[in-house]
Amino acid sequence: MMEIKVLKDILSANDQRAKENRELMDRNGIFAINITASPGAGKTSLIMETIRQLKAKTKIGVIEGDVSSSIDAETVAKEGIPVVQINTGGTCHLDATMLSNAFDNLPLQQIDLLFIENVGNLICPASFALGEDRNVLVASVPEGDDKPHKYPVMFSNADLVVLNKIDLLPHVDFDLQAFCEAVRGLNEKAHILEISCKTGQGTDRWVEWLANQLSAFNSPS
Ligand code: MG
Ligand code: ZN
């Protein structure tokens, strides 16, 4: 019983900090997207493709979460985008306090759209709110069509599921219809976008989705 109480305390402290993050971002007019995926699905590739398409007209910032290394942050920094690397030191998810610390090193007033690349993991990021506006889950074709069945909580939490590496569909055993049905079975509200960060296929629809979210955020009805 004791352990259950401790976990609840940790999560409610995290929720409180996430709320403070949300308020700080609201004061600075920042729309934040928490990007989750298993390792190698293409989170960084999606962020890089988005930066290339949007940086001329949208002020983007990035927080990179990784267990160790700063490889992804260096890739983003080359585009001239403000970026902070969070090394979790072994922890397999970002939490709201890590995000709050990262804010100290970002020019918040100069950011309208913030991408938070979570640690590659489809389990516990679902339990740790960060203060984000939207949750985007990146799945990829080579991982197989059974991911929604294996990680139902993450798929239920997503506002959007991006299915990356769609160019590999002819080469691997992936039942697209079964995947989409599994996602919809868990999550009626989530849209599914089929894209390839390699060929660019479908990335226009991703950018359009982002633009719609941003304009709704900036002029709430
Ligand atoms: Mg990455
Ligand atoms: Zn974790």
Side-chain angles (χ1 to χ4, degrees):
M1 289 308 281
M2 211 40 203
E3 277 180 34
I4 292 170
K5 171 141 195 339
V6 170
L7 180 59
K8 268 190 182 164
D9 286 347
I10 290 171
L11 290 178
S12 72
N14 185 74
D15 282 349
Q16 177 57 35
R17 186 54 70 93
K19 191 166 159 270
E20 291 161 16
N21 289 345
R22 177 66 270 152
E23 288 161 3
L24 178 64
M25 289 192 286
D26 278 342
R27 284 199 296 282
N28 287 279
I30 295 174
F31 185 77
I33 298 187
N34 179 25
I35 301 186
T36 53
S38 36
K43 297 183 296 300
T44 311
S45 301
L46 183 66
I47 291 170
M48 292 305 295
E49 180 61 29
T50 312
I51 288 171
R52 282 189 281 268
Q53 293 200 30
L54 277 184
K55 76 172 180 181
K57 51 183 174 183
T58 307
K59 291 185 272 178
I60 301 173
V62 177
I63 293 176
E64 281 290 342
D66 273 303
V67 170
S68 66
S69 96
S70 58
I71 296 168
D72 290 349
E74 286 161 23
T75 307
V76 171
K78 281 186 193 139
E79 296 291 324
I81 297 293
V83 57
V84 170
Q85 176 77 53
I86 300 174
N87 280 151
T88 62
T91 301
C92 46
H93 56 267
L94 294 180
D95 66 29
T97 301
M98 295 176 197
L99 200 73
S100 163
N101 293 336
F103 286 158
D104 295 341
N105 295 296
L106 275 177
L108 297 181
Q109 290 179 327
Q110 292 163 42
I111 294 171
D112 294 330
L113 175 60
L114 178 67
F115 290 110
I116 305 159
E117 181 178 335
N118 216 308
V119 179
N121 172 2
L122 285 179
I123 304 171
C124 41
S127 302
F128 291 85
L130 304 174
E132 72 276 16
D133 293 282
R134 295 288 183 277
N135 281 297
V136 171
L137 190 157
V138 183
S140 71
V141 165
E143 294 171 67
D145 52 45
D146 58 354
K147 278 286 188 292
H149 295 293
K150 289 186 174 170
Y151 305 103
V153 180
M154 291 288 289
F155 278 88
S156 324
N157 276 354
D159 297 297
L160 177 75
V161 173
V162 172
L163 179 61
N164 189 24
K165 308 189 190 181
I166 201 73
D167 54 303
L168 296 179
L169 213 46
H171 310 289
V172 293
D173 191 14
F174 185 98
D175 185 335
L176 184 57
Q177 194 183 339
F179 176 85
C180 293
E181 279 170 9
V183 172
R184 292 203 187 96
L186 292 163
N187 185 337
E188 283 176 13
K189 73 176 196 296
H191 297 279
I192 303 167
L193 285 186
E194 298 159 27
I195 72 161
S196 166
C197 289
K198 188 168 182 194
T199 67
Q201 180 188 338
T203 57
D204 52 339
R205 291 179 58 218
W206 155 249
V207 169
E208 187 186 321
W209 181 86
L210 275 176
N212 288 338
Q213 305 297 311
L214 263 176
S215 70
F217 173 73
N218 290 321
S219 42
S221 50

